[in-house]
Amino acid sequence: MAARRTDGVNGRLFAMLRNALARLVRPLRRPVTGRSDARGHGPVRSRLLPAALVAATVLTTAAAVWLSVRVYEQRQAEQRRQDILAAARRSALNFTSLDYRHYDRDSRNVLRGATGDFKEQFAAQTAELTELVARNKSVSEGQVLEAGIVRADERSARVQVVADSKVTNTAVPRGEARTYRLQLDLVLENGHWLTSDVEFVG
């Protein structure tokens, strides 16, 4: 809806620009008769100068407003992009970082940035995951390498993240390096971007 409102504002501004330009150009195309006014103060066309100045002022003002709107839109879009990437990176880092010695804290970090079905499913499996990581003494130290937006609008986004982690457990006590490619779906809720789905894509 905000996008439609912006389109409407741009449309009105373009109309103002077009009308102002028409007013500015039209008088200059009239033939010059060379007649003077009753008091001999010069040709009639001199009377058109104030109208041309008004039209030029309107044109300049409309152009300035239009440019201001465009700059504002670009700043909003860039801020939204940065917020989405920051949320995706944080979610991916939480998802790939865990320690069996304080898994309750780690699972809360994941849930804090989650919503929808993903949050419900992860919460439902927390007890089982807690037992699993404790039994295997699992530790994973995640690190986000890259993150890129696949698509985004004002309320939702899809981001792909490449993350590394060093995993140690009873099977690999010296540690093992792993690389994950994650696809995260995010939605905007109460001013915060939250992860609604996580999928391993490579």
Side-chain angles (χ1 to χ4, degrees):
M1 182 175 295
R4 288 195 295 271
R5 286 198 300 269
T6 302
D7 291 341
V9 170
N10 287 338
R12 289 194 296 272
L13 290 173
F14 277 121
M16 290 174 61
L17 289 170
R18 186 174 60 251
N19 293 338
L21 186 60
R23 294 193 189 96
L24 179 62
V25 174
R26 191 180 301 120
L28 300 179
R29 292 179 176 176
R30 294 176 180 172
V32 179
T33 62
R35 291 186 297 106
S36 300
D37 61 16
R39 292 174 293 179
H41 287 169
V44 173
R45 67 177 179 178
S46 64
R47 300 176 184 177
L48 300 177
L49 183 59
L53 291 176
V54 170
T57 301
V58 172
L59 180 64
T60 303
T61 302
V65 172
W66 180 76
L67 288 174
S68 298
V69 170
R70 294 296 297 170
V71 170
Y72 174 78
E73 290 175 346
Q74 292 173 359
R75 288 179 178 174
Q76 288 289 96
E78 179 59 24
Q79 184 61 56
R80 180 168 61 248
R81 178 180 175 277
Q82 294 299 329
D83 291 345
I84 290 170
L85 288 174
R89 286 176 173 271
R90 185 167 55 249
S91 185
L93 182 62
N94 290 336
F95 196 68
T96 56
S97 301
L98 61 90
D99 191 323
Y100 73 97
R101 291 163 294 191
H102 40 72
Y103 186 70
D104 287 346
R105 181 202 65 186
D106 296 339
S107 61
R108 284 196 301 271
N109 287 338
V110 174
L111 292 172
R112 191 177 296 116
T115 189
D117 292 341
F118 171 64
K119 184 174 184 178
E120 293 179 3
Q121 293 171 6
F122 190 89
Q125 297 173 1
T126 296
E128 181 180 349
L129 291 173
T130 300
E131 180 182 352
L132 180 64
V133 298
R135 184 169 63 249
N136 291 281
K137 295 184 178 181
S138 299
V139 177
S140 176
E141 301 175 3
Q143 179 183 9
V144 174
L145 303 180
E146 297 179 27
I149 297 175
V150 178
R151 59 170 176 77
D153 56 35
E154 294 182 352
R155 304 295 303 180
S156 64
R158 173 167 289 176
V159 181
Q160 287 193 350
V161 177
V162 177
D164 271 354
S165 69
K166 181 181 179 181
V167 178
T168 59
N169 52 43
T170 55
V172 284
R174 293 186 178 182
E176 179 181 75
R178 298 179 183 177
T179 300
Y180 307 99
R181 185 179 296 274
L182 307 172
Q183 180 173 281
L184 290 80
D185 289 336
L186 298 94
V187 295
L188 184 64
E189 292 185 1
N190 300 320
H192 300 283
W193 287 95
L194 304 176
T195 301
S196 60
D197 189 35
V198 175
E199 180 180 353
F200 288 88
V201 294

